[in-house]
Amino acid sequence: MGYFDVKIISEHFDVPEAKSLDYYESKGGYRMARQATKTAPAEIHAEVKKSNLRGRGGAGFPTGIKWGFVPKDSETVYLVVNADESEPGTFKDRHILFWNPHALIEGMIVAARSLGVRSAYIYIRGEMLREAPIVQDAIDQAYAKGYLGERCFGSDMHLDITLYRGAGAYICGEETALLSSLEGGRGWPRLKPPFPAVKGLWGKPTIVNNVETIANLPWILEHGGQAFADLGVGRSGGLRVVSVGGHINKPGVYELPLTVTGNQLIEEVCGGMRGGRKVKAVIPGGVSMPVLTPGELDVPFEFDALQTDERIAEVEVSPGVAFDLGGGKTLRTMAGSGGVIVMDEQTDMVSAAWRIVHFFAEESCGQCTPCREGTGWLAAVVKRIDQKQGRPGDVDLVASIADGIAGNTICALGDAAAWPTLAFLTKYRGEFEAKIKSSNYKPRATRENKAS
Ligand SMILES: Cc1cc2nc3c(=O)[nH]c(=O)nc-3n(C[C@H](O)[C@H](O)[C@H](O)COP(=O)(O)O)c2cc1C
Ligand code: SF4
């Protein structure tokens, strides 16, 4: 069986009428939502736990475990779908929203039944001008059929879904910032704990899940959690929807088994490198994730396989700064948001690093000092290296700034800026040093260096 034969969410991508409720129902859609309204909440939860479904928003946290953090007998529980998708290189949720909005709504009904939710929200990125009306149409169609609102499918369940449009801030994809924004406040992350599952929207228990995470639920209910777990590998169930961009022949959105390696993804799924050039670097899951070299691509692009590897752990980026990401845990990189970026041999890695740190400096919410100041300095120093104005010692300076940010901030945007920087420095250090060597920087004349 080829990679394209097994599909859960993407089966009807590219079919023009796929977004209509009639088409979705003609393919068996909404049967699981109807069934969920008659199923005991704990039974659904047990299947989700069994499925090994892990969050597709970035961290890969097990969904069934997250749902279990909601305090028992909570009177009000909210469900919020994170459709903010602003991580550079990532465009898979946008595709799901465009082609299969009813899978998301059906998944929300399944989740709401299990969690006892009466009000759910979809927080959609403000720039998704094309997708927002499609999702709103799908919600309206579901209301018109009696699948949402009072007595969903004629049952005793009540569920309202509200589509809320963000205003274009990357930080509003971070779950606590998203909740602040949804409450009408500034999109500032909050310290965790308490986690949203305990204290979230308007102080009530709230489950925040990614679009793809939720869209998998109807399949899990239909085929059983075990079948979903069996599709996956190890502690990760199911398939993964990835968006692939960069210097490959066939960029796009693909739903793939978790066993597919980086090399297979490039050669067998994406038709190889553009112009027959060689691979130089691959970012596996959005620009927050450390970059991989060609020698590291023979690994499944799966949560655990990408995360634990000893090879990089011992590397010292610069004196006193180790490439040790995540509280002493040895990480190579992470599967992140599923946004794969492939770079060929002609890519200038210093310019690529600058583009990434510049993004984070622009998007820092400014709340905590290491991130606000550190990302600005990272961008400034990497920019001067890139523009041949680098100074001796700049590589170590960049490493020490990144090291000062990592692990010292309120939310993970700080790590998201620091980790890729340290990876670029470790793996492509020669390119940074070469640019500094050919720098046009001349120290300004001071009394001290005039004298010497
Ligand atoms: C800076 C930042 C941006 C994020 N952006 C998104 C996003 O756009 N979409 C998303 O689903 N998760 C995003 N996340 C992760 C969310 O905070 C959260 O973990 C996720 O929505 C949970 O859903 P899941 O368990 O289904 O993955 C972001 C995290 C951070 C730190
Ligand atoms: S780490 Fe950055 S984005 Fe996150 S709260 Fe602090 S300043 Fe804001």
Side-chain angles (χ1 to χ4, degrees):
M1 198 178 258
Y3 297 130
F4 300 101
D5 297 335
V6 193
K7 283 176 183 169
I8 294 177
I9 298 172
S10 67
E11 196 172 348
H12 306 291
F13 277 7
D14 298 331
V15 177
E17 58 277 20
K19 356 179 155 34
S20 82
L21 189 143
D22 288 345
Y23 180 89
Y24 185 70
E25 277 202 304
S26 74
K27 302 291 172 197
Y30 283 111
R31 275 185 303 123
M32 290 306 113
R34 191 185 304 272
Q35 184 175 311
T37 62
K38 298 178 208 136
T39 308
E43 222 177 282
I44 300 173
H45 189 191
E47 290 305 318
V48 174
K49 276 203 269 192
K50 210 188 287 173
S51 73
N52 286 345
L53 173 64
R54 292 172 71 168
R56 304 309 203 229
F61 194 81
T63 307
I65 295 180
K66 186 193 270 191
W67 289 11
F69 294 150
V70 173
K72 297 268 164 294
D73 304 322
S74 302
E75 244 177 57
T76 306
V77 181
Y78 293 112
L79 170 68
V80 177
V81 170
N82 190 341
D84 197 53
E85 196 173 63
S86 310
E87 177 80 14
T90 314
F91 45 95
K92 49 107 186 164
D93 290 340
R94 166 181 303 209
H95 223 67
I96 297 170
L97 296 166
F98 185 83
W99 290 109
N100 205 356
H102 287 288
L104 174 63
I105 295 170
E106 184 170 18
M108 289 176 76
I109 297 172
V110 173
R113 171 67 181 174
S114 182
L115 294 160
V117 166
R118 289 168 61 87
S119 289
Y121 297 85
I122 302 172
Y123 187 100
I124 192 168
R125 175 179 173 166
E127 293 97 327
M128 289 200 198
L129 300 176
R130 206 178 55 140
E131 291 73 14
I134 289 170
V135 176
Q136 187 60 58
D137 261 6
I139 294 172
D140 294 344
Q141 289 167 24
Y143 269 106
K145 279 269 193 168
Y147 301 169
L148 291 175
E150 287 292 347
R151 303 181 55 77
C152 309
F153 298 94
S155 72
D156 60 358
M157 182 176 157
H158 174 120
L159 178 64
D160 284 312
I161 296 183
T162 306
L163 180 70
Y164 186 93
R165 295 178 73 167
Y170 168 72
I171 194 57
C172 288
E174 194 282 333
E175 58 186 3
T176 60
L178 184 155
L179 296 177
S180 297
S181 168
L182 195 52
E183 287 169 356
R186 190 169 177 173
W188 266 12
R190 305 168 186 168
L191 264 180
K192 294 186 274 193
F195 288 93
V198 176
K199 192 169 179 222
L201 196 59
W202 295 296
K204 303 291 181 198
T206 304
I207 289 296
V208 182
N209 271 138
N210 172 260
V211 169
E212 183 191 343
T213 312
I214 294 290
N216 274 303
L217 295 173
W219 196 97
I220 292 172
L221 200 61
E222 180 171 2
H223 301 270
Q226 192 56 53
F228 191 84
D230 292 344
L231 270 184
V233 50
R235 297 184 306 160
S236 312
L239 308 173
R240 182 115 208 233
V241 183
V242 293
S243 54
V244 196
H247 303 138
I248 46 193
N249 282 319
K250 291 196 294 177
V253 177
Y254 302 98
E255 188 171 30
L256 300 169
L258 293 164
T259 48
V260 174
T261 66
N263 282 328
Q264 287 172 316
L265 182 64
I266 293 171
E267 291 305 323
E268 297 171 36
V269 180
C270 296
M273 296 298 290
R274 227 164 49 192
R277 286 191 279 275
K278 290 199 184 99
V279 186
K280 185 173 198 178
V282 175
I283 295 175
V287 296
S288 308
M289 297 301 137
V291 62
L292 296 169
T293 61
E296 296 174 303
L297 300 179
D298 203 16
V299 170
F301 269 26
E302 177 273 328
F303 299 101
D304 290 333
L306 282 175
Q307 202 162 336
T308 47
D309 188 276
E310 305 297 321
R311 273 178 289 171
I312 289 300
E314 302 103 30
V315 176
E316 213 181 28
V317 187
S318 81
V321 181
F323 186 60
D324 164 21
L325 312 173
K329 204 170 166 202
T330 60
L331 293 179
R332 177 165 47 182
T333 184
M334 287 168 82
S337 63
V340 180
I341 303 170
V342 181
M343 293 175 253
D344 73 16
E345 56 191 325
Q346 296 183 337
T347 310
D348 180 329
M349 298 308 282
V350 184
S351 296
W354 175 72
R355 196 61 201 81
I356 292 170
V357 290
H358 173 67
F359 171 80
F360 289 114
E362 289 282 311
E363 296 296 333
S364 166
C365 82
Q367 202 182 167
C368 39
T369 311
C371 173
R372 183 186 61 244
E373 300 299 323
T375 53
W377 277 107
L378 277 185
V381 181
V382 176
K383 183 177 180 183
R384 79 182 181 211
I385 300 173
D386 185 38
Q387 297 190 341
K388 302 264 182 83
Q389 291 295 317
R391 305 170 193 184
D394 269 357
V395 170
D396 290 341
L397 178 60
V398 172
S400 83
I401 298 169
D403 195 45
I405 301 172
N408 295 321
T409 56
I410 293 175
C411 87
L413 186 141
D415 296 334
W419 290 356
T421 308
L422 292 172
F424 269 88
L425 288 184
T426 310
K427 301 179 184 185
Y428 301 94
R429 189 185 181 108
E431 291 197 30
F432 287 81
E433 283 171 346
K435 279 209 169 175
I436 293 173
K437 219 169 167 188
S438 60
S439 167
N440 302 316
Y441 170 71
K442 301 258 180 315
R444 263 192 299 150
T446 62
R447 222 176 304 162
E448 222 169 89
N449 62 26
K450 253 189 205 160
S452 60

